[in-house]
Amino acid sequence: MSDQMKTLRDSAALRWTALLLLALAMFCAYIFMDILSPIKDLMLTERGWDSTAFGTMQGSETFLNVFIFFLIFAGIILDKMGVRFTAVLSGIVMLCGALIKYYAISESFIGTGLETWFTNNLNHIPVFEQLGVSPFYEGMPASAKLAAIGFMVFGCGVEMAGIMVSRGIVKWFKGREMALAMGSEMALARLGVATCMIFSPFFAKLGGNIDVSRSVAFGVILLCIALMMFVVYFFMDKKLDAQTGEAEEKDDPFKISDLGQILGSSGFWLVSLLCVLYYSAIFPFQKYAVNMLQCNLTFTEVPANSFWASTSVTITQYLIMLLVAATAFMFNFMKNKTVKYSVLCVSILALITYCYMGYMRQSAESIFAVFPLLAVGITPILGNYVDHKGKAATMLVLGSLLLIACHLTFAFVLPAFKGNEIGGVIVAYLTILVLGASFSLVPASLWPSVPKLVDAKIIGSAYALIFWIQNIGLWLFPLLIGKVLDKTNPGITDATQLNYTAPLIMLAGLGVAALIIGLILKAVDKKKGLGLEEPNIK
């Protein structure tokens, strides 16, 4: 090695810097993805969105990816044009979609001729309406229709970014700590969910004057930062190719016939099915989780002049959350045992402090914000284990079991504690932490398995196909949850009094199906020797 020229990816610091740029960009994207989730109740009172309108708008994020096959084209773009071009393109597309959504929800849209046009049009979409998959319907608020269009555009960009990041990590970490890198990227990105849960309501209610567009504006600013991150990554990636002599455009160009190799793999189909089932039980749930907690926990209004209702407590709690995440992540890389366990103690104490503050604030959104915190701590452990020991398929089975247990707890155990302020919050915290931990099993085990199933030349298209299949669930289930809520709660106009039992049973059913697919995947891997249970580093 000493006789060979060192490249950027040979330096641990530089390849992890490249990962950090990608992860921070996705962190910003994840915030915008769920920016309205913590303020579902405000969207009803401020913009007239019922659960069906809210769910239809939320599901629209993946509409173009699924029905116009944009994700398939995104995979082809990635394979033909390379990682860095796709990175910048995805950042621009996300930002454009976000700006449209911001305008739709802003006060500036109200009373305009455009609002009138959207009220009177896009009520009946031929073919899509007959198939029952239309992203609009008669009676849908005009602001929700335009927001849905913006979210569709954003969805094209964020899913393109997702497959690009997966491909980029493979490029920088193949043969190295790839599962650890993928898990760490997703752990950091999912801190965006916690950030969103804390700051979206904060900006919407800032100064005692409710304005839901401020939350979206916060997300738009972060997407500008994400685009900057992708631009910096562009130059790092370009320098890497200059050092290695690799070309972004392949000498052996992508052909449509290459898709046959992907589609002919039973392992690919099982991984894809497991992915869509698992993610459909998580991401759509995130969009309703805060409202579900509002409906199942008993909260006491905090006095307006109390410290717990102040701006400073929001900032303090967020800083403590970052301390939990940082120390939990650092724990995995400490060599000195005294320092290692001291850091762990700090992390646990900070987590307890965070949970106490969430309880004192009587805030459903800050309670759900613990979702990624345990994942941040255990993802490096899981990724490191898969890199050195394997057992990726086994971890997927374990993740499905935890998923089922969590949704059934939300459906049947949590409502039993309604009226018990402390007991309900404890059950909620523990279940949310375990759900986040189960979610961390997927990036650490599923995504690093894809390069074992297909050739490197078409890995971008393989990720795109998986994301496309996944997007079918991400489009369908936010819509289904909204419709089921309206059907099972007739006449209820208070958004904090809904019964979530039926949607949660539906999501637990997805976990059961994922468990069955995971067991089949283990059997196929054992029979055909796909290598899913083998370590990434040999």
Side-chain angles (χ1 to χ4, degrees), residues 161-179:
I163 61 173
M164 176 277 300
V165 168
S166 297
R167 173 66 177 271
I169 293 174
V170 170
K171 180 176 182 177
W172 283 77
F173 285 86
K174 190 168 184 180
R176 297 177 174 89
E177 55 278 87
M178 186 163 61

Side-chain angles (χ1 to χ4, degrees), residues 32 52 77 90 149 206 337 384 395 497 532:
F32 192 85
T52 299
I77 291 170
S90 64
I149 291 174
L206 191 63
K337 284 191 175 182
N384 192 56
M395 286 191 178
Q497 298 300 318
L532 300 183

Side-chain angles (χ1 to χ4, degrees), residues 232-247:
V232 175
Y233 174 82
F234 178 97
F235 290 104
M236 279 194 73
D237 192 80
K238 186 175 182 180
K239 184 172 181 180
L240 174 65
D241 282 352
Q243 290 177 332
T244 61
E246 297 172 0

